[in-house]
Amino acid sequence: MSKQVVRVASYGKGSLGAIGNEAERKAGVNHRNKDIDPEREHLNLDFKRTEHGFYAEWQDINKKLNAQFRDTKNATAFEGMVITAEAKFFEEKFGWVRGQETPPEMVDFWKQSYEWAIKEIGYKGTDQNVISAIVHMDETSPHMQLYYVPVTERWQEKVYAKDEEGKVLRNAKGSPVQLRDEKGKIVYRIVEDHEAPKLSRTEFWRVRGGQTSYSQMQDRYHKEVGQKYDLERGEVGSNKKHQTKHEWEMQQMKSEANEIREQIEDLQEDLNFGREEAANNQVIVSICQDEAKQAKEEKTEAERGRDSAIAERAAAEAAAAEAKKQAEEAAKKKEEAEKKAAEAKQQAAES
């Protein structure tokens, strides 16, 4: 029995062009995926296609939804979902033959998969945040590639400590101090804004289950679609973040490499959720930096005092040497004067 495959990957804004060109098979582009067969491209099924490319569509979505987005170097700007199974499943279940028209029952399978995906990642259950959704029938194994903007109207925010007058407390560096509860844990508040939702991969998946979101997503797909077509759920309880279809095919050929990659992905997932906690500890880091800066300034001041004392000592030694020199010259002049006086006295006595 074949296993269902539902995989998700995150991308930065800089990947919009390249991924869009390949996903929508832009003409004149030499695609890096060598599995693509241009002669079968007409068999691909479009559920949603951009009018002016991925980047323009991404901008339009953010503008229409009035999405808040912190555009940093490593920020996730969009995500991609791949839904598929091994080629044998499509051949045996639907009688699919590579290069021929897609059987109607197989088209229904993709329709159900797309409808399920919209319920899972669609903004308020719609495709408003979907950039593109295409079923590629021109590669080794049929698969749906769906790209979307992870926008959520519900997220959590930091809560800052305030004084008796209601003013936010700040550390010595001027940064706001985050509020902690009696156990020392950071305090957050839940925000819900339907007028200005937030583009945030972390918050998008947090409201869908957080660290168990991927496992829950797999369960729902199997219940609503997969089991209807006798697809296996796969590893029950698996919570691994999934990759692209091409990477999956490589993993199928290299099972050992697959296990290593999944372990790395698990660690990456933990790292992503841990980054925010690290950011929340920035106050402590700032205090330590302030103390280090103060110690450095005190050390610099001491070094300046030492240098000043050395300079004063050198000046005193130079003055003493000069005085000694002048005294020696005066003694020499006195000796010469006394010698001349003695000679003059002797000449006077002889005359």
Side-chain angles (χ1 to χ4, degrees):
M1 186 178 291
S2 299
K3 294 181 180 180
Q4 68 182 38
V5 177
V6 181
R7 301 178 180 273
V8 173
S10 302
Y11 304 97
K13 191 167 69 173
S15 299
L16 283 163
I19 289 179
N21 291 342
E22 184 169 307
E24 299 193 328
R25 306 298 194 245
K26 184 176 180 180
V29 175
N30 184 19
H31 301 300
R32 61 183 179 181
N33 187 351
K34 302 307 178 183
D35 288 341
I36 298 174
D37 181 359
E39 294 184 0
R40 291 191 283 128
E41 184 180 329
H42 67 284
L43 298 173
N44 293 342
L45 306 174
D46 294 352
F47 282 90
K48 188 172 185 180
R49 178 179 286 269
T50 67
E51 291 185 14
H52 306 290
F54 267 42
Y55 187 77
E57 187 69 20
W58 181 84
Q59 287 184 313
D60 288 344
I61 289 172
N62 286 323
K63 184 177 181 180
K64 290 177 181 177
L65 298 182
N66 192 31
Q68 305 176 50
F69 176 55
R70 188 180 180 186
D71 190 1
T72 60
K73 181 179 180 181
N74 298 318
T76 293
F78 70 110
E79 291 191 315
M81 174 181 286
V82 172
I83 301 176
T84 187
E86 58 185 330
K88 182 177 69 173
F89 162 74
F90 299 103
E91 294 168 352
E92 295 179 352
K93 192 69 178 177
F94 305 109
W96 169 68
V97 178
R98 187 177 287 105
Q100 296 185 11
E101 291 295 327
T102 306
E105 296 81 3
M106 190 171 171
V107 174
D108 288 339
F109 168 80
W110 292 123
K111 287 180 178 179
Q112 292 181 47
S113 295
Y114 181 66
E115 291 170 358
W116 171 85
I118 295 302
K119 288 195 298 182
E120 286 290 316
I121 57 84
Y123 182 67
K124 296 184 178 181
T126 71
D127 67 349
Q128 294 181 75
N129 61 323
V130 174
I131 300 173
S132 171
I134 299 174
V135 175
H136 292 138
M137 305 297 294
D138 57 356
E139 295 187 47
T140 304
S141 181
H143 60 278
M144 175 180 286
Q145 281 185 242
L146 185 151
Y147 294 93
Y148 61 94
V149 184
V151 178
T152 177
E153 66 272 20
R154 182 180 172 86
W155 64 92
Q156 66 177 23
E157 285 186 351
K158 302 173 183 177
V159 177
Y160 296 105
K162 298 182 179 180
D163 59 20
E164 296 178 352
E165 298 179 355
K167 295 182 180 179
V168 175
L169 297 176
R170 296 182 179 275
N171 59 21
K173 197 173 181 180
S175 300
V177 177
Q178 192 163 354
L179 183 65
R180 293 176 180 270
D181 61 21
E182 62 276 4
K183 294 183 180 181
K185 293 185 178 181
I186 296 172
V187 178
Y188 295 91
R189 71 185 182 94
I190 301 299
V191 177
E192 189 165 343
D193 191 336
H194 295 267
E195 300 300 323
K198 189 172 186 177
L199 195 173
S200 169
R201 173 199 164 278
T202 301
E203 299 300 330
F204 181 85
W205 288 109
R206 192 192 304 281
V207 298
R208 288 165 173 76
Q211 294 188 10
T212 64
S213 56
Y214 290 105
S215 179
Q216 294 180 37
M217 179 181 69
Q218 292 282 345
D219 292 337
R220 287 190 292 269
Y221 181 78
H222 184 254
K223 180 179 180 180
E224 297 179 30
V225 182
Q227 67 180 2
K228 294 180 183 178
Y229 295 91
D230 300 321
L231 283 171
E232 288 187 356
R233 157 67 171 81
E235 182 185 352
V236 178
S238 174
N239 189 42
K240 295 177 176 59
K241 183 183 177 185
H242 300 298
Q243 300 172 319
T244 64
K245 176 258 179 184
H246 181 66
E247 291 172 325
W248 171 69
E249 289 180 342
M250 294 297 292
Q251 290 168 348
Q252 292 295 99
M253 292 184 289
K254 300 177 181 179
S255 60
E256 184 177 351
N258 178 43
E259 293 177 1
I260 295 174
R261 287 192 184 96
E262 289 181 342
Q263 291 173 9
I264 294 174
E265 289 162 8
D266 281 340
L267 295 174
Q268 183 64 47
E269 186 69 19
D270 291 339
L271 175 61
N272 290 337
F273 279 96
R275 281 175 177 165
E276 185 172 355
E277 185 68 18
N280 293 331
N281 291 330
Q282 188 60 42
V283 172
I284 298 175
V285 175
S286 298
I287 293 174
C288 292
Q289 289 175 339
D290 291 340
E291 292 177 349
K293 181 179 179 182
Q294 183 177 356
K296 183 177 180 180
E297 291 175 349
E298 291 175 353
K299 179 182 177 182
T300 302
E301 188 63 29
E303 290 176 346
R304 288 175 181 170
R306 182 195 63 188
D307 294 343
S308 178
I310 293 173
E312 291 178 1
R313 178 181 176 183
E317 290 176 350
E322 182 66 24
K324 182 179 179 181
K325 180 180 179 181
Q326 291 179 359
E328 289 175 349
E329 291 178 352
K332 185 177 181 180
K333 289 180 180 179
K334 179 181 179 183
E335 183 180 351
E336 290 176 353
E338 290 177 347
K339 183 177 180 181
K340 288 181 180 180
E343 290 176 353
K345 184 177 180 181
Q346 184 177 356
Q347 289 177 2
E350 290 176 352
S351 60

